[in-house]
Amino acid sequence: MAYRRTDHVSARLADTRRRILNAARELVAEGGFSAAQMTEVARKAAVATGTLYRYFPSKEELCRQVFREVSAREMNLLVGIAQGEGSARERLDKALRTFATRAVRGRRLAYALLAEPVDVGLAEERGRFRRTHGEIFAGILEEGIASGEIAPLDVKIAAACIAGAIPTALIGPLAPQSHELEENADRVVDEIVHFCLAAVGAGQPHNKNNDLRRMTA
């Protein structure tokens, strides 16, 4: 007869896996992915190192799962904003501000996700993370163009630019050795939001008549 796990055993295995992931995430939040050494994760999760390797055969696989879970949580927040109430401009403003503000508040973890030098596997996760950001922004931009709040533009390119501009702007302020956010966190967020809105012509409500005048001038 084939072995079948009982509900109790399955729950215990799931709990151990969750403790391992929570421990790894806490270490990344404290010192970046470089701090999530397998022996340290095992110690923090209160499991044997051999047990840890049965759940995650390598540090890369463990860190990729941490990256996926943290980024999925952030993406879900932005998707909720994108699909929520308000004009396209208001939702774009809120999505940008939420992204930047959460990065500033979770500074060390955000730096790990956005800018820390990583191996190829994590770089792939980071690329997917950024592309998904772009897709969220693109959806809002399309609605803004349809409503006349945003001037016509290449939505795919504009969204990719926004998704790339935010991490790039935050690299310096989020860096562990930087002190910029200690006194200027609000200003950093405001400047990022202002720049991105202005870049897509959403700094102020868009008037379609302006496009006609420009084309016939």
Side-chain angles (χ1 to χ4, degrees):
M1 179 183 231
Y3 170 74
R4 295 179 60 188
R5 290 177 178 171
T6 64
D7 290 343
H8 175 73
V9 171
S10 295
R12 180 170 57 79
L13 293 171
D15 177 69
T16 300
R17 187 174 190 275
R18 174 47 47 200
R19 282 193 291 117
I20 290 170
L21 286 168
N22 287 347
R25 187 185 66 246
E26 289 172 13
L27 286 168
V28 173
E30 293 167 4
F33 286 107
S34 61
Q37 300 300 321
M38 297 296 266
T39 53
E40 282 301 302
V41 173
R43 180 191 61 77
K44 196 172 185 66
V47 300
T49 304
T51 299
L52 171 58
Y53 277 102
R54 286 200 293 273
Y55 285 85
F56 297 96
S58 68
K59 177 188 173 182
E60 178 183 349
E61 186 172 331
L62 174 59
C63 288
R64 287 184 76 150
Q65 185 58 34
V66 171
F67 195 110
R68 292 183 192 119
E69 289 196 357
V70 175
S71 60
R73 182 181 63 202
E74 299 302 314
M75 292 301 180
N76 288 338
L77 287 172
L78 297 186
V79 168
I81 293 170
Q83 297 177 349
E85 298 180 352
S87 68
R89 186 197 178 284
E90 289 169 342
R91 284 178 284 130
L92 180 58
D93 184 308
K94 186 175 181 180
L96 293 166
R97 195 170 298 279
T98 297
F99 184 170
T101 299
R102 286 181 63 80
V104 167
R105 289 177 179 172
R107 173 177 173 175
R108 193 62 188 83
L109 180 59
Y111 183 78
L113 293 176
L114 300 175
E116 180 183 340
V118 293
D119 59 27
V120 174
L122 283 176
E124 291 175 353
E125 297 296 336
R126 185 176 286 162
R128 279 191 282 271
F129 182 55
R130 193 164 297 182
R131 286 193 294 274
T132 305
H133 269 136
E135 292 169 2
I136 294 170
F137 294 133
I140 302 175
L141 292 175
E142 287 176 347
E143 293 181 26
I145 292 170
S147 67
E149 298 171 68
I150 297 173
L153 44 70
D154 187 313
V155 168
K156 185 176 181 180
I157 291 176
C161 288
I162 292 174
I166 300 175
T168 301
L170 287 171
I171 287 175
L174 290 176
Q177 69 273 18
S178 173
H179 300 289
E180 186 173 355
L181 294 179
E182 293 174 5
E183 296 180 358
N184 299 311
D186 290 341
R187 181 188 62 78
V188 169
V189 172
D190 287 341
E191 289 293 337
I192 288 172
V193 173
H194 174 75
F195 173 84
C196 291
L197 291 176
V200 297
Q204 57 186 5
H206 174 65
N207 185 341
K208 289 184 178 179
N209 292 329
N210 292 336
D211 293 334
L212 180 61
R213 283 196 291 271
R214 284 197 297 271
M215 288 188 292
T216 58

